[in-house]
Amino acid sequence: MEPSSLELPADTVRHIASELRCHPTDERVALRLDEEDKLRPFRDCFYIPKMQDLPLIDLSLVNKDENSIYFLGNSLGLQPKMVKPYLEEELDKWAKMGAYGHDIGKRPWITGDETIVGLMNDIVGAKEREVVLMNGLTVNLHLLLLSFFKPTPKRYKIVLEAKAFPSDHYAIESQLQLHSLNVEKSMRIISPREGEETLRLEDILEVIEKEGDSIAVILFSGLHFYTGQFFNIPAITKAGQAKGCFVGFDLAHAVGNVELHLHDWGVDFACWCSYKYLNSGAGGLAGAFVHEKHAHTIKPALVGWFGHELSSRFKMDNKLKLISGASGFRISNPPILLVCSLHASLEIFRQATMKALRRKSILLTGYLEYMIKHYYSEDKAEPRKPIVNIITPSRLEERGCQLTLTFSVPMNRVFQQLEKRGVVCDKRDPNGIRVAPVPLYNSFHDVYKFVNLFASALNSAETEK
């Protein structure tokens, strides 16, 4: 089971069904897909919540001893089983030797982030000196914007997509205010066409071409949190830089989800959190990227002692020797317990590889799409049947794991019924429920079970008064 990115998942599903002499929606198809899944062993590296442990479960509707259907890795990834042993290692070291732990062990506290940063390189497609692990996502976004956004009377705009994640919107707004700029004139928001949910690439490029001379920074999501649209990062980067703009991305929903090649694409800067697809736990250690071409030209606007070269950092002479590149943006010492959680997950990614994960993801999410469309597309013969729309793009290169669903019945009813049945996903206003089968720990049989639970939830939501 190794479909290329060009192979349509529906074709694979139908091919297997033909071999098994059954309908493509038959449970045997899901079981065969799992049998052929080379990444299946990684599921055992994670704790999967049981039905009985979920707070809003209705145990009359499910088997309490079964695993929940956890399709919320796009919001908080599951806990790797090695997190606890790694945390205990550092707690034990602290208890036994105190401050000596700064220099001893496989994760010395002074260089804890540096011991694992190399595991991020392949995930984001960068050179090691271009990546740094530090802070939280929005803190990193502010630090990067302070250095890359230098408005002039001619170039003063920051471009972003409509309904960007609130933190991005607020960060941009406050950066503009910091420079005493008019927010309405300086924040250039690109919206979908009327009646459409997602942005067309040609519309993004048209804005850049027409207004590029007044744009200082383009800051897009790599993958939109609500619609699940994966933006064309290389095309946007190329277009923006051709007009003299800096181009950066918030990769919160893209990192660990889709293949990224930040260095080769020439992206100027990027940042991401690590608690979604990277499974580092709530509030986990975030990351940032600064392309090596800026190593000696873009300096951090705010500096701290961990941006100082290690060789002379502890001379304490207050004569800054700034590390060039991304590491110079570090301000404080790394939080070692957060390093442990991220370390446990990144080791799994190193073994699985993003290429293999993306390959499985295309088929896993494609199988989900196929099943939903089979059962819930508009049927003129049954006009009263509930309709489910998928607003996430169908083109494989324009999405990751996530599908966002909208309904002909009230969303809140559907969501509540899913919760009662042990389906862990989330809702986002105005009318979307996001489901994200993650290739590291979700199975094809999870998708099959989800579709059946979804049918039951939808029927209950429809009849609810």
Side-chain angles (χ1 to χ4, degrees):
M1 183 210 65
E2 291 190 352
S4 71
S5 60
L6 298 177
E7 184 176 350
L8 294 176
D11 292 340
T12 301
V13 170
R14 284 190 286 263
H15 176 73
I16 291 175
S18 177
E19 285 185 347
L20 296 173
R21 297 184 179 180
C22 65
H23 194 272
T25 60
D26 193 287
E27 183 178 19
R28 287 174 289 173
V29 173
L31 295 174
R32 170 65 68 84
L33 287 167
D34 280 331
E35 287 175 5
E36 297 179 358
D37 177 16
K38 294 180 180 179
L39 297 177
R40 182 173 53 171
F42 290 107
R43 180 179 174 92
D44 294 331
C45 296
F46 295 87
Y47 291 109
I48 301 175
K50 296 290 186 182
M51 292 285 191
Q52 62 185 353
D53 295 324
L54 299 181
L56 300 174
I57 198 78
D58 183 343
L59 292 177
S60 68
L61 299 174
V62 298
N63 181 341
K64 68 177 183 177
D65 296 319
E66 286 188 356
N67 290 330
S68 64
I69 306 301
Y70 195 89
F71 280 2
L72 195 51
N74 59 326
S75 186
L76 182 70
L78 292 180
Q79 183 187 137
K81 291 179 179 178
M82 287 305 297
V83 168
K84 187 175 181 179
Y86 283 2
L87 288 172
E88 289 176 341
E89 284 178 13
E90 301 308 321
L91 293 173
D92 189 54
K93 185 168 66 171
W94 180 20
K96 290 181 177 179
M97 61 182 67
Y100 289 103
H102 281 103
D103 305 301
I104 293 174
K106 65 182 180 183
R107 285 178 296 268
W109 300 336
I110 290 294
T111 57
D113 57 328
E114 297 177 55
T115 63
I116 69 168
V117 70
L119 297 173
M120 279 295 318
N121 298 345
D122 290 341
I123 296 175
V124 297
K127 297 184 178 181
E128 188 163 335
R129 68 187 300 236
E130 297 174 320
V131 177
V132 63
L133 301 174
M134 60 182 188
N135 309 315
L137 168 57
T138 308
V139 174
N140 290 341
L141 181 56
H142 274 298
L143 292 175
L144 291 167
L145 284 174
L146 283 169
S147 296
F148 281 91
F149 181 53
K150 302 292 186 182
T152 66
K154 182 180 178 181
R155 287 189 184 273
Y156 56 90
K157 295 179 184 177
I158 299 180
V159 174
L160 68 160
E161 78 276 14
K163 201 175 181 180
F165 196 81
S167 286
D168 291 7
H169 189 103
Y170 302 154
I172 291 171
E173 194 170 49
S174 61
Q175 289 284 333
L176 293 170
Q177 292 169 342
L178 184 65
H179 290 280
S180 300
L181 292 167
N182 182 296
V183 173
E184 289 187 5
K185 293 180 179 179
S186 303
M187 183 185 285
R188 179 60 168 94
I189 299 174
I190 305 179
S191 300
R193 298 183 185 185
E194 186 175 351
E196 298 183 1
E197 296 280 357
T198 56
L199 281 166
R200 298 191 188 190
L201 178 61
E202 60 263 35
D203 293 346
I204 299 171
L205 300 184
E206 182 180 7
V207 170
I208 295 172
E209 178 61 30
K210 286 184 175 180
E211 303 180 35
D213 292 340
S214 64
I215 297 169
V217 169
I218 297 167
L219 180 66
F220 255 66
S221 302
L223 194 144
H224 196 273
F225 82 98
Y226 179 72
T227 66
Q229 180 179 10
F230 180 23
F231 293 110
N232 191 324
I233 294 176
I236 294 171
T237 300
K238 182 179 179 180
Q241 291 174 346
K243 300 295 288 188
C245 316
F246 286 125
V247 185
F249 291 88
D250 174 351
L251 302 173
H253 292 85
V255 68
N257 178 8
V258 293
E259 287 187 88
L260 300 167
H261 304 280
L262 299 182
H263 176 83
D264 290 344
W265 291 340
V267 171
D268 291 302
F269 67 93
C271 49
W272 56 89
C273 58
S274 64
Y275 50 83
K276 302 180 190 298
Y277 294 103
L278 292 184
N279 317 300
S280 69
L285 189 62
F289 164 89
V290 178
H291 199 284
E292 67 174 2
K293 64 189 173 186
H294 299 304
H296 301 288
T297 56
I298 301 291
K299 305 293 184 184
L302 299 176
V303 296
W305 75 310
F306 263 68
H308 186 115
E309 292 179 359
L310 180 60
S311 60
S312 58
R313 184 180 301 160
F314 289 91
K315 287 185 177 181
M316 307 294 191
D317 59 5
N318 290 343
K319 296 178 180 178
L320 178 64
K321 293 184 178 178
L322 188 68
I323 303 170
S324 63
S327 290
F329 283 77
R330 293 183 301 172
I331 290 178
S332 302
N333 48 319
I336 196 61
L337 300 184
L338 298 186
V339 169
C340 290
S341 298
L342 182 55
H343 188 187
S345 180
L346 294 185
E347 285 189 328
I348 300 172
F349 275 90
R350 179 178 60 182
Q351 297 174 55
T353 74
M354 278 306 305
K355 186 173 290 295
L357 288 168
R358 176 61 171 154
R359 187 182 299 123
K360 175 181 174 181
S361 177
I362 287 171
L363 184 52
L364 188 64
T365 301
Y367 176 51
L368 173 61
E369 179 188 38
Y370 179 88
M371 295 287 278
I372 290 174
K373 286 186 173 180
H374 176 80
Y375 286 113
Y376 303 111
S377 59
E378 186 171 2
D379 189 344
K380 293 181 180 179
E382 295 184 67
R384 298 183 63 185
K385 186 179 75 171
I387 297 171
V388 179
N389 295 309
I390 301 173
I391 67 172
T392 306
S394 286
R395 290 171 60 88
L396 306 181
E397 61 271 28
E398 293 181 7
R399 72 180 186 205
C401 300
Q402 171 186 323
L403 295 182
T404 301
L405 313 178
T406 61
F407 309 91
S408 60
V409 295
M411 173 189 69
N412 285 332
R413 291 184 194 171
V414 179
F415 185 71
Q416 289 167 3
Q417 292 296 331
L418 287 172
E419 284 185 314
K420 289 180 180 180
R421 290 160 173 78
V423 175
V424 184
C425 54
D426 69 8
K427 59 179 179 177
R428 288 289 183 266
D429 289 333
N431 190 38
I433 288 180
R434 306 186 306 168
V435 290
V438 175
L440 264 179
Y441 49 74
N442 284 130
S443 67
F444 292 90
H445 199 241
D446 282 343
V447 171
Y448 176 83
K449 289 190 291 186
F450 166 80
V451 171
N452 284 277
L453 291 170
F454 183 58
S456 174
L458 201 59
N459 288 334
S460 295
E462 186 186 24
T463 57
E464 194 177 287
K465 293 183 180 179

